[in-house]
Structure formats: structure tokens, C-alpha cells
Amino acid sequence: MGNLIYTGITSLDGYINDVHGNFDWSMPDAQVHQFINDLERPVGTYLLGRRMYEVMSVWDVMPADPDSPIMNDYAEIWRAAEKIVFSASLAEVTAPRTRLERIFDVDAVRALPGDVSIGGATLAAEALEAGLVDEFRMFVNPIIVGGGTSYFPLGVTVPLDLVEQRRFDNGVVFLRYRRV
């Protein structure tokens, strides 16, 4: 495996959604979305939990929009990548290039080729606890939501080195850390 990368869009207080499960505050503007597209372009495989798969599956069926080249670009990036959904409750996956796994097999994940992205706090927690995550990419939004699903699991300590940072015009800050 190249790198296992955990990417997330968070509030300033570290949540990926609020106490009601809403994340409408996290929608990237064009500048941030273009940056995300460029970051995601080299990813060969996405590892997703059930909820993240359900959220992201819209990209598999989204029709091209002549007024949204950045969105169209992301849809193409998403569709070109392999996806593995880890879920004990999901009956099936319907998206192309997507397979369903019932358990998170650490050795199988280690054997994946190229850069691999993991999405969803619950699944990422398993990878963090197993010591698999090499890189963290956070898009910190200028909002405090007061609770919800935390980007990081409780009880896990990982020493990190800040290797990149960028502030966008809308106040979002990108932080990229590598495991020390």
C-alpha cells in the first residue's frame, strides 16, 4: 500500500456533523472543491463505511452539469476509483467499481496498492486503532457546532507532523499531517 489517507471536512471543534447529523455547513465552495479534486485525483481506492457510502453514492449517478465543471470533475474522479464498503448491515452495493466487505481486515487493507483514502469516522477509527493511517487531511470550517460525530476517536494517540497548510478565501483551513 502507498499511503492510507484519512480526509475529512470538520467544524472548528472537530466534528464531521452536528448533533442532529447535519453537515450542510461543510459544503465546499468552488475554490475548496477544486483543491479537493486535485488532492483526490491520485487516489486509487476508497474505503467507506455504510453511512459514508450512502452519502457519497450520489456521485456515481450524478448527471453531468454544463454549469458545474468542478462537480463534473469530482464525479469523474470518484467513478474512476475502486470503492470498498465495510458494512455488516448493508444488503448490497449497487455502484460500479464497488464491492462490499463484512469485516475490516487489517491485512487485506495493508495489501491494497497505491494511495488509499478512508472515509467516515467509524471506519477511520478502526484504521487508526490498527495503526494504519499514514496521513490526515482536514478541511476545518469556520463554525462551531457543539457536538456530533467527532473526526477523531476517543482514546487514540497518534504523534503527527504538520506538512502542509492553506487558508482559503471562505475561511476554511486545510491541514495535512503525517504520522511521525
Side-chain angles (χ1 to χ4, degrees):
M1 178 169 64
N3 289 308
L4 183 59
I5 304 161
Y6 178 27
T7 302
I9 299 174
T10 72
S11 61
L12 181 61
D13 50 348
Y15 296 101
I16 61 170
N17 57 30
D18 66 20
V19 293
H20 304 291
N22 298 322
F23 53 90
D24 53 348
W25 49 266
S26 71
M27 303 313 273
D29 68 6
Q31 183 186 32
V32 173
H33 211 298
Q34 182 61 59
F35 186 83
I36 290 171
N37 289 3
D38 294 339
L39 277 179
E40 296 296 307
R41 204 173 308 283
V43 171
T45 305
Y46 289 96
L47 308 180
L48 311 162
R50 179 190 53 82
R51 285 184 299 261
M52 184 61 75
Y53 167 70
E54 290 170 347
V55 168
M56 297 299 289
S57 64
V58 67
W59 294 101
D60 287 305
V61 296
M62 185 178 292
D65 181 349
D67 296 326
S68 298
I70 293 170
M71 301 280 272
N72 295 339
D73 184 34
Y74 186 81
E76 289 177 24
I77 293 165
W78 178 257
R79 291 175 189 151
E82 297 294 322
K83 275 93 53 193
I84 304 171
V85 180
F86 295 90
S87 174
S89 62
L90 194 62
E92 66 179 352
V93 293
T94 57
R97 303 182 69 120
T98 305
R99 76 175 195 254
L100 178 62
E101 295 289 340
R102 296 295 176 196
I103 60 166
F104 185 78
D105 182 335
V106 171
D107 293 327
V109 170
R110 277 192 183 109
L112 293 169
D115 285 343
V116 176
S117 178
I118 191 162
T122 303
L123 185 62
E126 288 189 58
L128 278 163
E129 290 166 3
L132 294 177
V133 180
D134 302 300
E135 187 172 303
F136 299 82
R137 297 174 177 175
M138 296 178 70
F139 290 86
V140 181
N141 281 258
I143 186 171
I144 295 171
V145 298
T149 303
S150 179
Y151 175 80
F152 292 111
L154 293 176
V156 175
T157 300
V158 181
L160 303 172
D161 181 34
L162 179 64
V163 294
E164 184 178 357
Q165 60 189 329
R166 177 175 173 180
R167 183 188 185 284
F168 295 93
D169 294 342
N170 65 359
V172 168
V173 176
F174 169 70
L175 302 169
R176 183 169 69 97
Y177 292 92
R178 299 264 324 145
R179 177 186 291 274
V180 176

